[in-house]
């Protein structure tokens, strides 16, 4: 097998490395962040995502780091129950926990941290000191705003999505003890503002707010103190559970996520370079399919790299297998976004915040 360079040690890059490791295919990962950078949020994993993960990690170890959700319960912002649905094997886990689990199978010498990699005119990877990386196959998994993708597909158009998120994970035994293992989501009656609560463990909670940035504007450079003040103000008159969580939270790890999407998908590969995960197909948060799609990308790409002698044929089959499903999730995500922006009494009833193909 040719030399493989993986750019990015997020979920997609690490899952790709796990599959290659499993099949004894050599590779090296280059990650721009520090080794112990645990920034990020959490993920919902439907049954399909759990099945994909179980191919490369120990399920029992995975289940110790997250939580299965029993129901999705939708409320008005004052706390009136609107709808309730039973969830079938939907799992929630913090990003940092999933990164830790996926990293355990990767030898330390196969990951280089604090490496910012660019793409040169001669189709090679280049480090910041000007040196080139010797690789025959380049697997790009550097996120939704991929630098390498933008260098290769110079005419791509990235659009801001009319939805941003504030995400936080807190440790609070008192609050966690009063929560059942349900996915709770509160919706403002005028639309464009929600608050979601997911119990990660006996003492950890993931909460997030989705907001319409036209109705609810933040500064371009929003400080933690300003973000905290804003959350206190916006949610002051919401259901007491929501307002208490906001007021009792630590904001040390709060994250403001500005959401973008490609106007049109690029090809998933060009020459010796192939894209996986968000680098290939950014999905807006409403789909809850980012992790599962990244896992399926990694599985499919590994399969065709093994089966096909011709690299272009392997890439072609990978794109053919994955692109149609991704386009369904993009369509579903945009539909869910449209619903989110509507007043509550105009939204379609009983819509799960998960895209299914």
């Amino acid at each position: 097998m040719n030399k493989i360079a993986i750019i990015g040690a997020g979920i997609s890059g690490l899952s790709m490395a796990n599959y290659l490791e499993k099949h004894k295919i050599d590779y090296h990962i280059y990650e721009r962040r520090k080794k112990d950078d645990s920034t990020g949020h959490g993920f919902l994993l439907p049954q399909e995502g759990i099945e994909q993960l179980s191919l490369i990690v120990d399920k029992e170890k995975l289940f110790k780091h997250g939580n299965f959700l029993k129901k999705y319960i939708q409320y008005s912002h004052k706390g009136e129950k609107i709808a309730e649905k039973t969830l079938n094997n939907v799992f929630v886990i913090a990003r940092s926990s999933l990164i830790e689990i996926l990293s355990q199978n990767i030898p330390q010498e196969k990951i280089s941290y604090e490496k910012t990699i660019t793409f040169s005119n001669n189709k090679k990877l280049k480090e910041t000191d000007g040196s080139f990386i010797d690789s025959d196959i380049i697997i790009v998994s550097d996120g939704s705003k991929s630098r390498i993708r933008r260098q290769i597909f110079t005419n791509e158009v990235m659009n801001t999505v009319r939805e941003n998120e504030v995400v936080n994970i807190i440790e609070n035994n008192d609050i966690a003890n009063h929560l059942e293992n349900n996915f709770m989501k509160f919706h403002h009656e005028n639309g464009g503002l929600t608050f979601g609560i997911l119990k990660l463990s006996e003492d950890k909670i993931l909460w997030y707010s989705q907001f319409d940035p036209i109705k609810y504007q933040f500064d371009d450079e929003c400080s933690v103190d300003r973000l905290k003040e804003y959350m206190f103000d916006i949610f002051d008159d919401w259901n007491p559970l929501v307002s208490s969580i906001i007021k009792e939270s630590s904001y040390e790890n709060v994250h403001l996520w500005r959401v973008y999407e490609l106007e049109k998908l690029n090809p998933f590969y060009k020459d010796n370079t192939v894209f996986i995960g968000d680098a290939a197909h950014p999905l807006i948060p409403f789909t809850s399919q980012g992790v599962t799609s990244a896992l399926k990308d990694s599985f499919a790409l590994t399969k065709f790299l093994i089966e096909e002698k011709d690299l272009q044929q392997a890439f072609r089959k990978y794109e053919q297998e994955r692109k149609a499903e991704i386009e369904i999730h993009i369509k579903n995500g945009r539909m869910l976004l449209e619903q989110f922006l509507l007043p509550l009494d105009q939204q379609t009833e009983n819509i799960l915040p998960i895209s299914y193909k």
Side-chain angles (χ1 to χ4, degrees):
M1 180 66 72
N2 296 324
K3 294 179 181 178
I4 297 176
I6 301 174
I7 311 305
I11 303 301
S12 55
L14 288 173
S15 62
M16 187 73 214
N18 271 267
Y19 279 115
L20 296 177
E21 189 73 28
K22 182 178 179 179
H23 292 281
K24 296 180 171 53
I25 299 171
D26 197 21
Y27 61 91
H28 195 88
I29 308 174
Y30 300 87
E31 168 58 44
R32 66 178 177 82
R33 295 183 180 185
K34 296 180 179 179
K35 181 178 181 180
D36 297 322
D37 186 342
S38 60
T39 57
H41 35 90
F43 306 110
L44 284 179
L45 281 172
Q47 175 66 32
E48 193 174 25
I50 297 169
E51 290 171 357
Q52 288 289 326
L53 262 178
S54 66
L55 298 175
I56 50 176
V57 302
D58 182 346
K59 277 201 296 188
E60 295 307 313
K61 186 180 294 184
L62 174 69
F63 295 159
K64 289 178 182 178
H65 286 80
N67 206 9
F68 279 98
L69 302 172
K70 296 177 181 177
K71 297 177 181 179
Y72 170 63
I73 308 176
Q74 186 181 20
Y75 299 91
S76 71
H77 76 285
K78 293 294 188 180
E80 178 187 355
K81 186 184 291 188
I82 300 168
E84 181 178 307
K85 275 196 171 185
T86 299
L87 296 174
N88 181 27
N89 287 332
V90 175
F91 187 72
V92 61
I93 187 170
R95 180 184 185 275
S96 57
S97 297
L98 187 51
I99 289 287
E100 180 184 347
I101 292 169
L102 288 168
S103 298
Q104 290 174 356
N105 295 333
I106 310 302
Q108 291 186 6
E109 65 272 14
K110 291 189 177 182
I111 307 182
S112 296
Y113 293 95
E114 298 182 69
K115 296 285 187 180
T116 299
I117 308 299
T118 56
F119 196 75
S120 67
N121 292 332
N122 60 357
K123 302 177 184 178
K124 289 187 176 182
L125 297 173
K126 186 169 66 172
E127 297 191 47
T128 51
D129 63 3
S131 60
F132 291 99
I133 294 172
D134 184 18
S135 58
D136 303 303
I137 299 173
I138 301 168
I139 300 175
V140 181
S141 58
D142 58 348
S144 60
K145 298 176 74 176
S146 169
R147 297 182 184 187
I148 293 176
R149 189 189 67 227
R150 285 178 285 162
Q151 286 180 285
I152 293 177
F153 301 111
T154 56
N155 294 324
E156 76 168 27
V157 178
M158 282 284 282
N159 294 325
T160 56
V161 174
R162 195 175 162 183
E163 183 258 341
N164 287 174
E165 292 195 8
V166 177
V167 190
N168 201 2
I169 293 177
I170 62 168
E171 291 189 29
N172 190 310
N173 283 300
D174 291 338
I175 294 176
N177 286 337
H178 287 88
L179 296 177
E180 296 184 16
N181 295 335
N182 296 323
F183 179 1
M184 306 169 69
K185 196 168 185 180
F186 296 79
H187 298 249
H188 195 281
E189 61 184 10
N190 295 328
L193 185 65
T194 67
F195 191 87
I197 306 167
L198 303 105
K199 186 175 179 179
L200 290 169
S201 66
E202 293 306 311
D203 63 350
K204 282 188 179 181
I205 302 161
L206 183 152
W207 64 252
Y208 68 96
S209 171
Q210 297 168 319
F211 61 92
D212 175 355
I214 294 178
K215 287 184 180 178
Y216 305 94
Q217 296 182 355
F218 282 95
D219 301 330
D220 288 340
E221 298 296 330
C222 192
S223 67
V224 170
D225 288 340
R226 175 71 186 95
L227 198 57
K228 181 178 179 180
E229 178 186 337
Y230 188 86
M231 296 295 292
F232 275 44
D233 181 49
I234 291 294
F235 293 97
D236 182 59
D237 64 343
W238 282 48
N239 178 265
L241 176 61
V242 174
S243 56
S244 65
I245 287 175
I246 287 173
K247 290 174 182 176
E248 295 180 36
S249 291
S250 165
Y251 284 75
E252 181 182 357
N253 297 313
V254 71
H255 177 67
L256 174 59
W257 184 9
R258 301 188 189 276
V259 183
Y260 299 86
E261 68 170 353
L262 285 169
E263 188 171 285
K264 181 182 178 182
L265 287 177
N266 299 306
F268 285 9
Y269 67 95
K270 186 173 182 180
D271 300 323
N272 68 331
T273 303
V274 62
F275 298 85
I276 60 173
D278 286 343
H281 45 73
L283 295 174
I284 63 176
F286 291 107
T287 65
S288 298
Q289 282 287 350
V291 171
T292 301
S293 295
L295 292 165
K296 294 180 76 172
D297 288 353
S298 302
F299 175 82
L301 180 56
T302 303
K303 177 179 69 173
F304 292 124
L305 286 174
I306 293 169
E307 291 178 357
E308 301 295 331
K309 293 182 179 179
D310 179 73
L311 184 63
Q312 295 302 297
Q313 180 70 353
F315 287 174
R316 198 160 29 245
K317 286 190 173 183
Y318 156 68
E319 182 182 272
Q320 185 178 15
E321 179 166 309
R322 296 295 301 132
K323 201 166 192 176
E325 180 181 315
I326 293 301
E327 288 175 337
I328 291 172
H329 291 318
I330 290 172
K331 180 181 178 182
N332 289 346
R334 289 171 179 167
M335 180 272 292
L336 290 166
L337 173 62
E338 289 174 1
Q339 290 290 312
F340 160 75
L341 295 171
L342 290 173
L344 195 54
D345 61 3
Q346 295 179 29
Q347 294 180 19
T348 303
E349 295 182 359
N350 293 331
I351 290 185
L352 281 174
I354 302 173
S355 169
Y356 289 101
K357 61 182 180 179

